[in-house]
Amino acid sequence: MNILTASGIATEIKQHFEESLRQSVNEDEFIKESCTPLIQGGKRLRPMLFLLCAKYGKNFSPEKIMTLAVALELIHTASLVHDDILDNSKKRRGIETANSKYGAQVAVLIGDYLFAKAFQLVAKGGYGDEVKLILSNLVQNLCRGEIMQDLSLFHVPTISEYYTRINLKTAIFLSACCKLGGIVAGLKREEIDGLSFYGNSLGLAFQIVDDLLDFFGDEKVTGKSLGSDLKSGVITLPVIRTLKVSRDADILRQMITRRIMDRDEIHSAIKIVRVSDAFNYCRLRATAHIESARINLPQIKNSVKLALEQAADFVVMRNA
Ligand code: FPP
Ligand code: MG
């Protein structure tokens, strides 16, 4: 599901966004052919949050802010292209990854291209220094999160280490989208801070649900293979919880220590996680972050507030 469908954004703006995004990778034959599938099928959560928060302001001008919405989606896509190389993923959103199609060398460069394209749009859009600083900080944090993850593969993190990682790799991005929306809308500092906090809490919930879907999702719906985090050594909240409460914790821990898991072992590991209370535990945590996101929404423009509340519900209820 594309979240823009369910949001409080008008159809013409959604179409304008999709068209501008398509145009952004239209420059030459190879870029068009390789990047068009990569920008399709996403949930559009980041640009949607940005556009919704931008709507909080009095002078909402889609023309003025569309390039930043597109740049946010391009940065996200670039990070996924690189992430698929790091995770050696073959499929994303149900289609072959750039890594699998063109090999790691070309895929790195496709990611770099998308990333550079995003910053070209920001430069052309004439956004101020604060916007540029937020964007560069968010990319640095994405990299920190990924480095942290890659340096601790097959290591069981503490809850606090897990939170640091998901904050860096996901929550800061969603927070930045909301903050940028508030900035271009010309909101007051405390309102921007409220939106930024909302985005951060939403991001924590989003990543917890993402990690849950790796064990409880439907491959046909998520477009990703079940158990792929565990297979690549990324130990997430469902596993941390299972290791704490399951009767089969030792079996699971041994699989992680041995590092290499074949198909049967991944199946057994998924089963162990599924019969533990990890699902309810993670859902409860995600719901608590969503509640805290709602509470911190600034008290302005009811229609936008409603849409942001719906976005929060979407994050916990989603199945892909
Ligand atoms: C998906 O996470 C990946 C990220 C949230 C961030 C990836 C960031 C980088 C690779 C840093 C480089 C960034 C740029 C802009 C070039 P996941 O692996 O948990 O989710 P998945 O299941 O969708 O793969
Ligand atoms: Mg990944």
Side-chain angles (χ1 to χ4, degrees), residues 249-266:
D250 283 345
I251 302 173
L252 185 57
R253 193 170 287 108
Q254 276 167 23
M255 287 182 193
I256 296 168
T257 311
R258 275 190 279 111
R259 289 179 169 236
I260 295 171
M261 285 173 238
D262 60 23
R263 262 173 76 97
D264 289 345
E265 278 195 313
I266 288 291

Side-chain angles (χ1 to χ4, degrees), residues 1 3 44 56 67 78 80 85 140 149 192 227 251:
M1 180 196 176
I3 195 173
R44 310 297 191 226
Y56 259 120
T67 39
L80 295 182
I85 301 166
Q140 284 175 30
Q149 182 170 298
I192 296 175
I251 302 173

Side-chain angles (χ1 to χ4, degrees), residues 127-157:
Y127 302 100
D129 283 350
E130 189 181 8
V131 168
K132 289 174 198 157
L133 261 176
I134 292 170
L135 289 174
S136 45
N137 280 338
L138 102 79
V139 176
Q140 284 175 30
N141 284 319
L142 277 181
C143 294
R144 281 198 192 106
E146 279 292 310
I147 291 168
M148 186 179 176
Q149 182 170 298
D150 275 25
L151 289 178
S152 56
L153 293 180
F154 297 101
H155 159 82
V156 180

Side-chain angles (χ1 to χ4, degrees), residues 102-115:
Y102 305 105
Q105 280 98 328
V106 173
V108 168
L109 297 166
I110 290 174
D112 290 345
Y113 180 93
L114 292 168
F115 186 47

